[in-house]
Each structure stands twice: as C-alpha cells, then as structure tokens.
PDB file of all heavy atoms in Angstrom:
ATOM      1  N   ALA A   1     159.878   3.280 142.881  1.00  0.00           N
ATOM      2  CA  ALA A   1     161.215   3.819 142.904  1.00  0.00           C
ATOM      3  C   ALA A   1     161.250   5.235 143.141  1.00  0.00           C
ATOM      4  O   ALA A   1     161.939   5.755 143.984  1.00  0.00           O
ATOM      5  CB  ALA A   1     161.927   3.521 141.554  1.00  0.00           C
ATOM      6  N   ALA A   2     160.244   6.038 142.639  1.00  0.00           N
ATOM      7  CA  ALA A   2     160.144   7.448 142.873  1.00  0.00           C
ATOM      8  C   ALA A   2     159.745   7.567 144.324  1.00  0.00           C
ATOM      9  O   ALA A   2     160.374   8.564 144.999  1.00  0.00           O
ATOM     10  CB  ALA A   2     159.023   8.038 142.040  1.00  0.00           C
ATOM     11  N   ILE A   3     158.867   6.901 144.957  1.00  0.00           N
ATOM     12  CA  ILE A   3     158.509   7.095 146.357  1.00  0.00           C
ATOM     13  C   ILE A   3     159.661   6.734 147.280  1.00  0.00           C
ATOM     14  O   ILE A   3     159.959   7.371 148.255  1.00  0.00           O
ATOM     15  CB  ILE A   3     157.220   6.332 146.631  1.00  0.00           C
ATOM     16  CG1 ILE A   3     155.987   6.973 145.900  1.00  0.00           C
ATOM     17  CG2 ILE A   3     157.033   6.140 148.130  1.00  0.00           C
ATOM     18  CD1 ILE A   3     154.780   6.141 145.994  1.00  0.00           C
ATOM     19  N   GLU A   4     160.368   5.687 146.902  1.00  0.00           N
ATOM     20  CA  GLU A   4     161.620   5.265 147.676  1.00  0.00           C
ATOM     21  C   GLU A   4     162.625   6.227 147.678  1.00  0.00           C
ATOM     22  O   GLU A   4     163.278   6.447 148.699  1.00  0.00           O
ATOM     23  CB  GLU A   4     162.074   3.881 147.297  1.00  0.00           C
ATOM     24  CG  GLU A   4     161.097   2.701 147.656  1.00  0.00           C
ATOM     25  CD  GLU A   4     160.832   2.690 149.044  1.00  0.00           C
ATOM     26  OE1 GLU A   4     161.742   2.777 149.961  1.00  0.00           O
ATOM     27  OE2 GLU A   4     159.593   2.646 149.474  1.00  0.00           O
ATOM     28  N   SER A   5     162.749   7.002 146.545  1.00  0.00           N
ATOM     29  CA  SER A   5     163.884   8.020 146.448  1.00  0.00           C
ATOM     30  C   SER A   5     163.522   9.128 147.422  1.00  0.00           C
ATOM     31  O   SER A   5     164.411   9.715 148.014  1.00  0.00           O
ATOM     32  CB  SER A   5     163.923   8.532 144.943  1.00  0.00           C
ATOM     33  OG  SER A   5     162.774   9.263 144.664  1.00  0.00           O
ATOM     34  N   ILE A   6     162.274   9.521 147.607  1.00  0.00           N
ATOM     35  CA  ILE A   6     161.867  10.476 148.521  1.00  0.00           C
ATOM     36  C   ILE A   6     162.021  10.009 149.972  1.00  0.00           C
ATOM     37  O   ILE A   6     162.568  10.726 150.841  1.00  0.00           O
ATOM     38  CB  ILE A   6     160.417  10.885 148.347  1.00  0.00           C
ATOM     39  CG1 ILE A   6     160.297  11.527 146.961  1.00  0.00           C
ATOM     40  CG2 ILE A   6     160.064  11.813 149.459  1.00  0.00           C
ATOM     41  CD1 ILE A   6     161.029  12.721 146.705  1.00  0.00           C
ATOM     42  N   ALA A   7     161.777   8.755 150.288  1.00  0.00           N
ATOM     43  CA  ALA A   7     161.882   8.126 151.612  1.00  0.00           C
ATOM     44  C   ALA A   7     163.318   8.196 152.054  1.00  0.00           C
ATOM     45  O   ALA A   7     163.581   8.205 153.220  1.00  0.00           O
ATOM     46  CB  ALA A   7     161.231   6.718 151.645  1.00  0.00           C
ATOM     47  N   ALA A   8     164.180   7.945 150.932  1.00  0.00           N
ATOM     48  CA  ALA A   8     165.617   7.753 151.349  1.00  0.00           C
ATOM     49  C   ALA A   8     166.470   9.060 151.643  1.00  0.00           C
ATOM     50  O   ALA A   8     167.520   9.111 151.919  1.00  0.00           O
ATOM     51  CB  ALA A   8     166.354   6.940 150.193  1.00  0.00           C
ATOM     52  N   LEU A   9     165.795  10.221 151.446  1.00  0.00           N
ATOM     53  CA  LEU A   9     166.449  11.460 151.596  1.00  0.00           C
ATOM     54  C   LEU A   9     166.929  11.604 153.014  1.00  0.00           C
ATOM     55  O   LEU A   9     166.118  11.266 153.911  1.00  0.00           O
ATOM     56  CB  LEU A   9     165.453  12.661 151.223  1.00  0.00           C
ATOM     57  CG  LEU A   9     165.065  12.812 149.732  1.00  0.00           C
ATOM     58  CD1 LEU A   9     164.123  13.824 149.485  1.00  0.00           C
ATOM     59  CD2 LEU A   9     166.304  13.065 148.831  1.00  0.00           C
ATOM     60  N   LYS A  10     168.058  12.168 153.117  1.00  0.00           N
ATOM     61  CA  LYS A  10     168.652  12.370 154.482  1.00  0.00           C
ATOM     62  C   LYS A  10     168.029  13.525 155.148  1.00  0.00           C
ATOM     63  O   LYS A  10     167.911  13.614 156.417  1.00  0.00           O
ATOM     64  CB  LYS A  10     170.144  12.529 154.410  1.00  0.00           C
ATOM     65  CG  LYS A  10     170.580  13.727 153.597  1.00  0.00           C
ATOM     66  CD  LYS A  10     172.120  13.747 153.352  1.00  0.00           C
ATOM     67  CE  LYS A  10     172.603  14.780 152.427  1.00  0.00           C
ATOM     68  NZ  LYS A  10     173.963  14.850 152.142  1.00  0.00           N
ATOM     69  N   GLN A  11     167.486  14.499 154.481  1.00  0.00           N
ATOM     70  CA  GLN A  11     166.881  15.706 155.024  1.00  0.00           C
ATOM     71  C   GLN A  11     165.511  15.356 155.486  1.00  0.00           C
ATOM     72  O   GLN A  11     164.868  14.508 155.038  1.00  0.00           O
ATOM     73  CB  GLN A  11     166.914  16.804 153.978  1.00  0.00           C
ATOM     74  CG  GLN A  11     168.192  17.251 153.420  1.00  0.00           C
ATOM     75  CD  GLN A  11     168.644  16.669 152.236  1.00  0.00           C
ATOM     76  OE1 GLN A  11     168.229  15.559 151.890  1.00  0.00           O
ATOM     77  NE2 GLN A  11     169.610  17.231 151.570  1.00  0.00           N
ATOM     78  N   PRO A  12     164.953  16.106 156.520  1.00  0.00           N
ATOM     79  CA  PRO A  12     163.599  15.948 156.956  1.00  0.00           C
ATOM     80  C   PRO A  12     162.678  16.397 155.827  1.00  0.00           C
ATOM     81  O   PRO A  12     162.880  17.257 155.059  1.00  0.00           O
ATOM     82  CB  PRO A  12     163.455  16.937 158.035  1.00  0.00           C
ATOM     83  CG  PRO A  12     164.563  17.905 157.920  1.00  0.00           C
ATOM     84  CD  PRO A  12     165.732  17.147 157.285  1.00  0.00           C
ATOM     85  N   THR A  13     161.641  15.592 155.691  1.00  0.00           N
ATOM     86  CA  THR A  13     160.704  15.751 154.528  1.00  0.00           C
ATOM     87  C   THR A  13     159.293  16.017 155.190  1.00  0.00           C
ATOM     88  O   THR A  13     158.788  15.334 156.040  1.00  0.00           O
ATOM     89  CB  THR A  13     160.558  14.651 153.642  1.00  0.00           C
ATOM     90  OG1 THR A  13     160.328  13.396 154.422  1.00  0.00           O
ATOM     91  CG2 THR A  13     161.865  14.426 152.745  1.00  0.00           C
ATOM     92  N   ILE A  14     158.636  17.030 154.585  1.00  0.00           N
ATOM     93  CA  ILE A  14     157.221  17.413 155.104  1.00  0.00           C
ATOM     94  C   ILE A  14     156.376  17.309 154.004  1.00  0.00           C
ATOM     95  O   ILE A  14     156.600  17.737 152.809  1.00  0.00           O
ATOM     96  CB  ILE A  14     157.210  18.928 155.544  1.00  0.00           C
ATOM     97  CG1 ILE A  14     158.181  19.175 156.715  1.00  0.00           C
ATOM     98  CG2 ILE A  14     155.779  19.289 155.980  1.00  0.00           C
ATOM     99  CD1 ILE A  14     158.375  20.584 156.953  1.00  0.00           C
ATOM    100  N   CYS A  15     155.222  16.460 154.145  1.00  0.00           N
ATOM    101  CA  CYS A  15     154.137  16.375 153.114  1.00  0.00           C
ATOM    102  C   CYS A  15     153.005  17.410 153.487  1.00  0.00           C
ATOM    103  O   CYS A  15     152.316  17.179 154.444  1.00  0.00           O
ATOM    104  CB  CYS A  15     153.633  14.934 152.950  1.00  0.00           C
ATOM    105  SG  CYS A  15     152.558  14.766 151.592  1.00  0.00           S
ATOM    106  N   LEU A  16     152.840  18.413 152.714  1.00  0.00           N
ATOM    107  CA  LEU A  16     151.752  19.266 152.893  1.00  0.00           C
ATOM    108  C   LEU A  16     150.559  18.781 152.034  1.00  0.00           C
ATOM    109  O   LEU A  16     150.467  19.009 150.758  1.00  0.00           O
ATOM    110  CB  LEU A  16     152.116  20.735 152.432  1.00  0.00           C
ATOM    111  CG  LEU A  16     151.149  21.804 152.360  1.00  0.00           C
ATOM    112  CD1 LEU A  16     150.368  21.904 153.655  1.00  0.00           C
ATOM    113  CD2 LEU A  16     151.643  23.137 152.085  1.00  0.00           C
ATOM    114  N   MET A  17     149.667  18.089 152.648  1.00  0.00           N
ATOM    115  CA  MET A  17     148.644  17.496 151.919  1.00  0.00           C
ATOM    116  C   MET A  17     147.465  18.391 151.756  1.00  0.00           C
ATOM    117  O   MET A  17     146.533  18.560 152.647  1.00  0.00           O
ATOM    118  CB  MET A  17     148.171  16.119 152.636  1.00  0.00           C
ATOM    119  CG  MET A  17     149.347  15.291 152.879  1.00  0.00           C
ATOM    120  SD  MET A  17     149.030  13.867 153.958  1.00  0.00           S
ATOM    121  CE  MET A  17     147.807  12.880 152.965  1.00  0.00           C
ATOM    122  N   ASN A  18     147.423  19.124 150.661  1.00  0.00           N
ATOM    123  CA  ASN A  18     146.459  20.151 150.241  1.00  0.00           C
ATOM    124  C   ASN A  18     145.097  19.556 149.952  1.00  0.00           C
ATOM    125  O   ASN A  18     144.194  20.415 149.649  1.00  0.00           O
ATOM    126  CB  ASN A  18     146.997  21.088 149.258  1.00  0.00           C
ATOM    127  CG  ASN A  18     147.153  20.276 147.962  1.00  0.00           C
ATOM    128  OD1 ASN A  18     148.054  19.244 147.978  1.00  0.00           O
ATOM    129  ND2 ASN A  18     146.621  20.609 146.817  1.00  0.00           N
ATOM    130  N   GLY A  19     144.969  18.254 149.831  1.00  0.00           N
ATOM    131  CA  GLY A  19     143.775  17.699 149.579  1.00  0.00           C
ATOM    132  C   GLY A  19     143.756  16.171 149.768  1.00  0.00           C
ATOM    133  O   GLY A  19     144.723  15.660 150.445  1.00  0.00           O
ATOM    134  N   SER A  20     142.813  15.412 149.246  1.00  0.00           N
ATOM    135  CA  SER A  20     142.760  14.020 149.567  1.00  0.00           C
ATOM    136  C   SER A  20     143.962  13.336 148.885  1.00  0.00           C
ATOM    137  O   SER A  20     144.594  13.763 147.857  1.00  0.00           O
ATOM    138  CB  SER A  20     141.436  13.460 148.972  1.00  0.00           C
ATOM    139  OG  SER A  20     140.350  14.011 149.781  1.00  0.00           O
ATOM    140  N   ALA A  21     144.212  12.104 149.408  1.00  0.00           N
ATOM    141  CA  ALA A  21     145.363  11.308 148.852  1.00  0.00           C
ATOM    142  C   ALA A  21     144.920   9.803 148.963  1.00  0.00           C
ATOM    143  O   ALA A  21     144.467   9.270 149.915  1.00  0.00           O
ATOM    144  CB  ALA A  21     146.614  11.508 149.796  1.00  0.00           C
ATOM    145  N   TYR A  22     144.958   9.174 147.756  1.00  0.00           N
ATOM    146  CA  TYR A  22     144.647   7.874 147.549  1.00  0.00           C
ATOM    147  C   TYR A  22     145.863   7.001 146.963  1.00  0.00           C
ATOM    148  O   TYR A  22     146.579   7.590 146.170  1.00  0.00           O
ATOM    149  CB  TYR A  22     143.462   7.615 146.693  1.00  0.00           C
ATOM    150  CG  TYR A  22     142.396   8.411 147.173  1.00  0.00           C
ATOM    151  CD1 TYR A  22     141.769   9.557 146.403  1.00  0.00           C
ATOM    152  CD2 TYR A  22     141.638   8.244 148.442  1.00  0.00           C
ATOM    153  CE1 TYR A  22     140.714  10.302 146.831  1.00  0.00           C
ATOM    154  CE2 TYR A  22     140.576   8.916 148.772  1.00  0.00           C
ATOM    155  CZ  TYR A  22     140.076  10.054 148.072  1.00  0.00           C
ATOM    156  OH  TYR A  22     139.125  10.798 148.551  1.00  0.00           O
ATOM    157  N   GLY A  23     145.888   5.680 147.321  1.00  0.00           N
ATOM    158  CA  GLY A  23     146.862   4.881 146.541  1.00  0.00           C
ATOM    159  C   GLY A  23     148.158   5.367 146.697  1.00  0.00           C
ATOM    160  O   GLY A  23     148.766   5.663 147.736  1.00  0.00           O
ATOM    161  N   GLY A  24     148.887   5.487 145.566  1.00  0.00           N
ATOM    162  CA  GLY A  24     150.281   5.940 145.523  1.00  0.00           C
ATOM    163  C   GLY A  24     150.437   7.354 146.038  1.00  0.00           C
ATOM    164  O   GLY A  24     151.578   7.678 146.592  1.00  0.00           O
ATOM    165  N   GLY A  25     149.396   8.216 146.063  1.00  0.00           N
ATOM    166  CA  GLY A  25     149.470   9.510 146.688  1.00  0.00           C
ATOM    167  C   GLY A  25     149.605   9.420 148.184  1.00  0.00           C
ATOM    168  O   GLY A  25     150.558  10.167 148.764  1.00  0.00           O
ATOM    169  N   LEU A  26     148.914   8.534 148.841  1.00  0.00           N
ATOM    170  CA  LEU A  26     149.069   8.300 150.266  1.00  0.00           C
ATOM    171  C   LEU A  26     150.392   7.559 150.543  1.00  0.00           C
ATOM    172  O   LEU A  26     151.066   7.907 151.528  1.00  0.00           O
ATOM    173  CB  LEU A  26     147.963   7.522 150.829  1.00  0.00           C
ATOM    174  CG  LEU A  26     147.938   7.217 152.309  1.00  0.00           C
ATOM    175  CD1 LEU A  26     148.083   8.452 153.173  1.00  0.00           C
ATOM    176  CD2 LEU A  26     146.699   6.466 152.739  1.00  0.00           C
ATOM    177  N   GLU A  27     150.879   6.798 149.634  1.00  0.00           N
ATOM    178  CA  GLU A  27     152.118   6.098 149.917  1.00  0.00           C
ATOM    179  C   GLU A  27     153.234   7.027 149.809  1.00  0.00           C
ATOM    180  O   GLU A  27     154.268   6.947 150.501  1.00  0.00           O
ATOM    181  CB  GLU A  27     152.357   4.966 148.738  1.00  0.00           C
ATOM    182  CG  GLU A  27     151.461   3.776 149.047  1.00  0.00           C
ATOM    183  CD  GLU A  27     151.539   2.655 147.974  1.00  0.00           C
ATOM    184  OE1 GLU A  27     151.347   3.075 146.741  1.00  0.00           O
ATOM    185  OE2 GLU A  27     151.735   1.552 148.229  1.00  0.00           O
ATOM    186  N   LEU A  28     153.236   8.039 148.920  1.00  0.00           N
ATOM    187  CA  LEU A  28     154.131   9.177 148.919  1.00  0.00           C
ATOM    188  C   LEU A  28     154.091   9.990 150.168  1.00  0.00           C
ATOM    189  O   LEU A  28     155.224  10.288 150.636  1.00  0.00           O
ATOM    190  CB  LEU A  28     153.876  10.101 147.630  1.00  0.00           C
ATOM    191  CG  LEU A  28     154.853  11.301 147.435  1.00  0.00           C
ATOM    192  CD1 LEU A  28     156.238  10.882 147.357  1.00  0.00           C
ATOM    193  CD2 LEU A  28     154.191  12.084 146.322  1.00  0.00           C
ATOM    194  N   ALA A  29     152.852  10.294 150.627  1.00  0.00           N
ATOM    195  CA  ALA A  29     152.756  10.994 151.949  1.00  0.00           C
ATOM    196  C   ALA A  29     153.513  10.220 153.065  1.00  0.00           C
ATOM    197  O   ALA A  29     154.191  10.758 153.888  1.00  0.00           O
ATOM    198  CB  ALA A  29     151.362  11.343 152.144  1.00  0.00           C
ATOM    199  N   MET A  30     153.231   8.892 153.051  1.00  0.00           N
ATOM    200  CA  MET A  30     153.726   8.017 154.173  1.00  0.00           C
ATOM    201  C   MET A  30     155.213   8.010 154.107  1.00  0.00           C
ATOM    202  O   MET A  30     155.877   7.627 155.105  1.00  0.00           O
ATOM    203  CB  MET A  30     153.018   6.629 154.209  1.00  0.00           C
ATOM    204  CG  MET A  30     151.605   6.714 154.530  1.00  0.00           C
ATOM    205  SD  MET A  30     150.921   5.106 154.907  1.00  0.00           S
ATOM    206  CE  MET A  30     150.998   4.323 153.266  1.00  0.00           C
ATOM    207  N   ALA A  31     155.830   8.244 152.866  1.00  0.00           N
ATOM    208  CA  ALA A  31     157.308   8.145 152.732  1.00  0.00           C
ATOM    209  C   ALA A  31     157.900   9.363 153.433  1.00  0.00           C
ATOM    210  O   ALA A  31     159.190   9.422 153.507  1.00  0.00           O
ATOM    211  CB  ALA A  31     157.679   8.003 151.347  1.00  0.00           C
ATOM    212  N   CYS A  32     157.124  10.387 153.621  1.00  0.00           N
ATOM    213  CA  CYS A  32     157.708  11.727 154.189  1.00  0.00           C
ATOM    214  C   CYS A  32     157.764  11.545 155.812  1.00  0.00           C
ATOM    215  O   CYS A  32     157.040  10.673 156.342  1.00  0.00           O
ATOM    216  CB  CYS A  32     156.807  12.925 153.878  1.00  0.00           C
ATOM    217  SG  CYS A  32     156.944  13.154 152.088  1.00  0.00           S
ATOM    218  N   ASP A  33     158.583  12.327 156.396  1.00  0.00           N
ATOM    219  CA  ASP A  33     158.682  12.286 157.873  1.00  0.00           C
ATOM    220  C   ASP A  33     157.452  12.950 158.583  1.00  0.00           C
ATOM    221  O   ASP A  33     157.156  12.453 159.755  1.00  0.00           O
ATOM    222  CB  ASP A  33     160.016  13.070 158.209  1.00  0.00           C
ATOM    223  CG  ASP A  33     161.248  12.437 157.701  1.00  0.00           C
ATOM    224  OD1 ASP A  33     161.349  11.162 157.661  1.00  0.00           O
ATOM    225  OD2 ASP A  33     162.037  13.146 157.143  1.00  0.00           O
ATOM    226  N   PHE A  34     156.947  13.925 157.972  1.00  0.00           N
ATOM    227  CA  PHE A  34     155.812  14.732 158.682  1.00  0.00           C
ATOM    228  C   PHE A  34     154.726  14.889 157.679  1.00  0.00           C
ATOM    229  O   PHE A  34     154.934  15.130 156.445  1.00  0.00           O
ATOM    230  CB  PHE A  34     156.284  16.039 159.142  1.00  0.00           C
ATOM    231  CG  PHE A  34     157.431  16.007 160.102  1.00  0.00           C
ATOM    232  CD1 PHE A  34     158.667  16.311 159.635  1.00  0.00           C
ATOM    233  CD2 PHE A  34     157.235  15.787 161.486  1.00  0.00           C
ATOM    234  CE1 PHE A  34     159.850  16.189 160.558  1.00  0.00           C
ATOM    235  CE2 PHE A  34     158.260  15.867 162.308  1.00  0.00           C
ATOM    236  CZ  PHE A  34     159.523  15.962 161.898  1.00  0.00           C
ATOM    237  N   ARG A  35     153.476  14.831 158.029  1.00  0.00           N
ATOM    238  CA  ARG A  35     152.365  14.972 157.237  1.00  0.00           C
ATOM    239  C   ARG A  35     151.383  15.928 157.819  1.00  0.00           C
ATOM    240  O   ARG A  35     150.901  15.645 159.001  1.00  0.00           O
ATOM    241  CB  ARG A  35     151.636  13.509 157.046  1.00  0.00           C
ATOM    242  CG  ARG A  35     152.482  12.616 156.101  1.00  0.00           C
ATOM    243  CD  ARG A  35     151.911  11.085 156.227  1.00  0.00           C
ATOM    244  NE  ARG A  35     152.195  10.617 157.472  1.00  0.00           N
ATOM    245  CZ  ARG A  35     153.399  10.188 157.906  1.00  0.00           C
ATOM    246  NH1 ARG A  35     154.451  10.235 157.064  1.00  0.00           N
ATOM    247  NH2 ARG A  35     153.565   9.645 159.119  1.00  0.00           N
ATOM    248  N   ILE A  36     150.981  16.879 157.126  1.00  0.00           N
ATOM    249  CA  ILE A  36     149.969  18.003 157.547  1.00  0.00           C
ATOM    250  C   ILE A  36     148.887  17.837 156.503  1.00  0.00           C
ATOM    251  O   ILE A  36     149.086  18.028 155.284  1.00  0.00           O
ATOM    252  CB  ILE A  36     150.724  19.249 157.574  1.00  0.00           C
ATOM    253  CG1 ILE A  36     151.712  19.368 158.532  1.00  0.00           C
ATOM    254  CG2 ILE A  36     149.502  20.421 157.929  1.00  0.00           C
ATOM    255  CD1 ILE A  36     152.399  20.776 158.522  1.00  0.00           C
ATOM    256  N   LEU A  37     147.714  17.527 156.965  1.00  0.00           N
ATOM    257  CA  LEU A  37     146.420  17.389 156.043  1.00  0.00           C
ATOM    258  C   LEU A  37     145.440  18.498 156.321  1.00  0.00           C
ATOM    259  O   LEU A  37     145.188  18.885 157.332  1.00  0.00           O
ATOM    260  CB  LEU A  37     145.843  16.063 156.275  1.00  0.00           C
ATOM    261  CG  LEU A  37     144.686  15.528 155.639  1.00  0.00           C
ATOM    262  CD1 LEU A  37     144.943  15.379 154.193  1.00  0.00           C
ATOM    263  CD2 LEU A  37     144.221  14.117 156.141  1.00  0.00           C
ATOM    264  N   VAL A  38     144.807  18.839 155.082  1.00  0.00           N
ATOM    265  CA  VAL A  38     143.874  19.919 155.151  1.00  0.00           C
ATOM    266  C   VAL A  38     142.515  19.318 155.630  1.00  0.00           C
ATOM    267  O   VAL A  38     142.149  18.176 155.457  1.00  0.00           O
ATOM    268  CB  VAL A  38     143.598  20.476 153.796  1.00  0.00           C
ATOM    269  CG1 VAL A  38     143.096  19.470 152.794  1.00  0.00           C
ATOM    270  CG2 VAL A  38     142.757  21.850 153.889  1.00  0.00           C
ATOM    271  N   GLU A  39     141.691  20.088 156.479  1.00  0.00           N
ATOM    272  CA  GLU A  39     140.497  19.594 156.898  1.00  0.00           C
ATOM    273  C   GLU A  39     139.497  19.350 155.728  1.00  0.00           C
ATOM    274  O   GLU A  39     139.614  19.997 154.713  1.00  0.00           O
ATOM    275  CB  GLU A  39     139.789  20.722 157.734  1.00  0.00           C
ATOM    276  CG  GLU A  39     140.259  20.928 159.233  1.00  0.00           C
ATOM    277  CD  GLU A  39     139.534  21.919 159.894  1.00  0.00           C
ATOM    278  OE1 GLU A  39     138.739  22.589 159.302  1.00  0.00           O
ATOM    279  OE2 GLU A  39     139.768  22.044 161.127  1.00  0.00           O
ATOM    280  N   GLY A  40     138.642  18.379 155.888  1.00  0.00           N
ATOM    281  CA  GLY A  40     137.681  18.032 154.744  1.00  0.00           C
ATOM    282  C   GLY A  40     138.261  17.036 153.804  1.00  0.00           C
ATOM    283  O   GLY A  40     137.445  16.476 153.001  1.00  0.00           O
ATOM    284  N   ALA A  41     139.543  16.700 153.875  1.00  0.00           N
ATOM    285  CA  ALA A  41     140.128  15.758 152.922  1.00  0.00           C
ATOM    286  C   ALA A  41     139.892  14.327 153.432  1.00  0.00           C
ATOM    287  O   ALA A  41     139.511  14.208 154.687  1.00  0.00           O
ATOM    288  CB  ALA A  41     141.609  16.042 152.762  1.00  0.00           C
ATOM    289  N   GLU A  42     140.232  13.409 152.661  1.00  0.00           N
ATOM    290  CA  GLU A  42     140.127  11.929 153.077  1.00  0.00           C
ATOM    291  C   GLU A  42     141.391  11.277 152.462  1.00  0.00           C
ATOM    292  O   GLU A  42     141.898  11.691 151.492  1.00  0.00           O
ATOM    293  CB  GLU A  42     138.770  11.318 152.738  1.00  0.00           C
ATOM    294  CG  GLU A  42     138.540  11.215 151.193  1.00  0.00           C
ATOM    295  CD  GLU A  42     137.289  10.503 150.963  1.00  0.00           C
ATOM    296  OE1 GLU A  42     136.429  10.332 151.880  1.00  0.00           O
ATOM    297  OE2 GLU A  42     137.060  10.044 149.821  1.00  0.00           O
ATOM    298  N   VAL A  43     141.663  10.118 153.092  1.00  0.00           N
ATOM    299  CA  VAL A  43     142.830   9.364 152.587  1.00  0.00           C
ATOM    300  C   VAL A  43     142.534   7.851 152.540  1.00  0.00           C
ATOM    301  O   VAL A  43     141.544   7.420 153.212  1.00  0.00           O
ATOM    302  CB  VAL A  43     144.073   9.602 153.375  1.00  0.00           C
ATOM    303  CG1 VAL A  43     144.434  10.979 153.413  1.00  0.00           C
ATOM    304  CG2 VAL A  43     143.824   9.118 154.844  1.00  0.00           C
ATOM    305  N   GLY A  44     143.219   7.174 151.634  1.00  0.00           N
ATOM    306  CA  GLY A  44     142.995   5.716 151.698  1.00  0.00           C
ATOM    307  C   GLY A  44     143.897   4.925 150.661  1.00  0.00           C
ATOM    308  O   GLY A  44     144.305   5.615 149.758  1.00  0.00           O
ATOM    309  N   LEU A  45     144.169   3.694 151.055  1.00  0.00           N
ATOM    310  CA  LEU A  45     144.833   2.749 150.151  1.00  0.00           C
ATOM    311  C   LEU A  45     143.606   1.956 149.600  1.00  0.00           C
ATOM    312  O   LEU A  45     143.311   0.963 150.093  1.00  0.00           O
ATOM    313  CB  LEU A  45     145.840   2.061 150.794  1.00  0.00           C
ATOM    314  CG  LEU A  45     147.101   2.797 151.367  1.00  0.00           C
ATOM    315  CD1 LEU A  45     148.059   1.779 152.095  1.00  0.00           C
ATOM    316  CD2 LEU A  45     147.816   3.626 150.234  1.00  0.00           C
ATOM    317  N   THR A  46     143.174   2.338 148.431  1.00  0.00           N
ATOM    318  CA  THR A  46     141.936   1.753 147.920  1.00  0.00           C
ATOM    319  C   THR A  46     142.147   0.778 146.815  1.00  0.00           C
ATOM    320  O   THR A  46     141.238   0.299 146.030  1.00  0.00           O
ATOM    321  CB  THR A  46     141.071   2.804 147.351  1.00  0.00           C
ATOM    322  OG1 THR A  46     141.896   3.604 146.404  1.00  0.00           O
ATOM    323  CG2 THR A  46     140.647   3.862 148.453  1.00  0.00           C
ATOM    324  N   GLU A  47     143.369   0.311 146.612  1.00  0.00           N
ATOM    325  CA  GLU A  47     143.801  -0.654 145.539  1.00  0.00           C
ATOM    326  C   GLU A  47     142.920  -1.867 145.355  1.00  0.00           C
ATOM    327  O   GLU A  47     142.726  -2.323 144.272  1.00  0.00           O
ATOM    328  CB  GLU A  47     145.313  -0.906 145.578  1.00  0.00           C
ATOM    329  CG  GLU A  47     146.135   0.238 145.255  1.00  0.00           C
ATOM    330  CD  GLU A  47     146.623   1.162 146.369  1.00  0.00           C
ATOM    331  OE1 GLU A  47     145.923   0.993 147.421  1.00  0.00           O
ATOM    332  OE2 GLU A  47     147.607   1.814 146.294  1.00  0.00           O
ATOM    333  N   VAL A  48     142.654  -2.493 146.464  1.00  0.00           N
ATOM    334  CA  VAL A  48     141.895  -3.785 146.455  1.00  0.00           C
ATOM    335  C   VAL A  48     140.591  -3.653 145.810  1.00  0.00           C
ATOM    336  O   VAL A  48     139.965  -4.528 145.239  1.00  0.00           O
ATOM    337  CB  VAL A  48     141.710  -4.405 147.851  1.00  0.00           C
ATOM    338  CG1 VAL A  48     143.055  -4.742 148.501  1.00  0.00           C
ATOM    339  CG2 VAL A  48     140.961  -3.532 148.752  1.00  0.00           C
TER     340      VAL A  48
END
C-alpha cells in the first residue's frame, strides 16, 4: 500500500538510489518515474 501510494502520485517522482536496493526497496524504486543509481551498487528482487 505504501509503494502503491507513491506510484499513484500525479507528480513526477525521482528515486535517487544512493546505494543498493533489494526486495521492497527495489519495488519502491520501480514505482517511481525516474531512477538514478550510484556506481558500485547492486539491485535485485531476492525474495525467492
């Protein structure tokens, strides 16, 4: 619900990914319109 509330915003959303993002963190980033990721970080949906 928290992530969907961000996805539903009418304004443009930017995710400034200052580090790695996993699971719900990456899901939150994907709910944004733009994603900027720092070098050296990694991402993944590792739930399985």
Side-chain angles (χ1 to χ4, degrees):
I3 291 173
E4 288 307 309
S5 70
I6 297 298
L9 291 175
K10 61 189 174 185
Q11 295 92 342
T13 51
I14 302 169
C15 188
L16 171 53
M17 303 170 72
N18 57 297
S20 297
Y22 306 114
L26 182 54
E27 288 175 309
L28 175 58
M30 290 191 296
C32 295
D33 300 313
F34 303 97
R35 287 165 293 284
I36 301 174
L37 179 60
V38 67
E39 282 184 352
E42 61 178 18
V43 298
L45 295 178
T46 57
E47 286 90 340
V48 296

